[in-house]
Amino acid sequence: MTFHSLPYDPRPLTATEARLEAIYTAARRGLKGDTLALAAGMTPTEYRKLCQMDPIAEYAEQKGRADGEMEMAGILHDAALQGDAKAALEMLKFAFKWSAPQSIQLQVEQKISITAALEAAQQRVLDITAEYANDADAGGVPAPSSTLTHQPDREADRYDDHNARRTEKSIDL
């Protein structure tokens, strides 16, 4: 196997008028980074070095972007003025940082009767009472009279004061 050397002749990196024009045109069309460099006829490495060596190359990119954005904004603005609702909406969103309201207001009118609510609650209590009575007759749960009324457990009898001092017991040794 033979080794063939590839001749490499580095291209001079200078910001010529043709090179700056190519950078400007690519940036105006919206290209960025490596695609901008390749579209301008340079490798990405060459483009980065050119921007470091000569700031006019970076200026050409910025100017191209600004002119491209200005052109698109003008087209969008003209379309919005001619009645294109979608174009107008996009102008509002982009240029004026507008956003459509995200909340929906829903208005429901309903009158609540307290007496009707109490009657419904009473009916539910009667239904549950009847159900407990049927279960008690069948030998199930105790009668509902004690379970549906508020009868405090005899907690006073079981009360243990945690802060009280315990009684001392004497132990004979």
Side-chain angles (χ1 to χ4, degrees):
M1 182 196 268
T2 60
F3 181 73
H4 297 283
S5 68
L6 298 172
Y8 177 70
D9 187 22
R11 296 191 288 182
L13 287 177
T14 56
T16 62
E17 188 174 341
R19 191 164 288 197
L20 293 174
E21 189 65 34
I23 292 171
Y24 171 84
T25 304
R28 185 171 182 191
R29 292 187 177 158
L31 298 178
K32 298 177 185 176
D34 294 349
T35 54
L36 184 140
L38 293 170
M42 294 179 278
T43 65
T45 307
E46 288 175 337
Y47 177 68
R48 284 190 287 274
K49 285 181 183 176
L50 181 63
C51 287
Q52 288 176 352
M53 291 180 0
D54 197 349
I56 194 75
E58 192 173 348
Y59 174 75
E61 179 185 354
Q62 291 172 348
K63 179 75 170 134
R65 282 191 202 293
D67 288 349
E69 189 175 339
M70 179 67 178
E71 184 179 359
M72 288 299 117
I75 291 170
L76 196 58
H77 186 262
D78 291 342
L81 288 177
Q82 291 176 3
D84 186 354
K86 189 165 182 143
L89 186 62
E90 290 303 316
M91 281 292 293
L92 285 171
K93 286 180 185 176
F94 180 74
F96 303 111
K97 307 292 186 233
W98 179 83
S99 63
Q102 298 296 318
S103 64
I104 299 173
Q105 293 181 356
L106 191 64
Q107 190 174 17
V108 177
E109 288 189 35
Q110 181 179 8
K111 295 182 180 180
I112 299 173
S113 169
I114 294 176
T115 55
L118 287 173
E119 287 173 2
Q122 184 65 31
Q123 185 60 43
R124 286 193 299 273
V125 168
L126 291 176
D127 291 345
I128 291 172
T129 304
E131 190 176 309
Y132 272 110
N134 290 340
D135 288 345
D137 291 342
V141 228
S145 61
S146 64
T147 58
L148 291 180
T149 58
H150 176 68
Q151 295 181 6
D153 294 334
R154 305 271 186 227
E155 291 188 28
D157 298 339
R158 292 183 287 156
Y159 182 71
D160 183 21
D161 189 4
H162 299 290
N163 294 325
R165 186 173 177 178
R166 298 195 186 273
T167 56
E168 297 178 8
K169 295 179 182 177
S170 60
I171 300 175
D172 293 326
L173 298 176

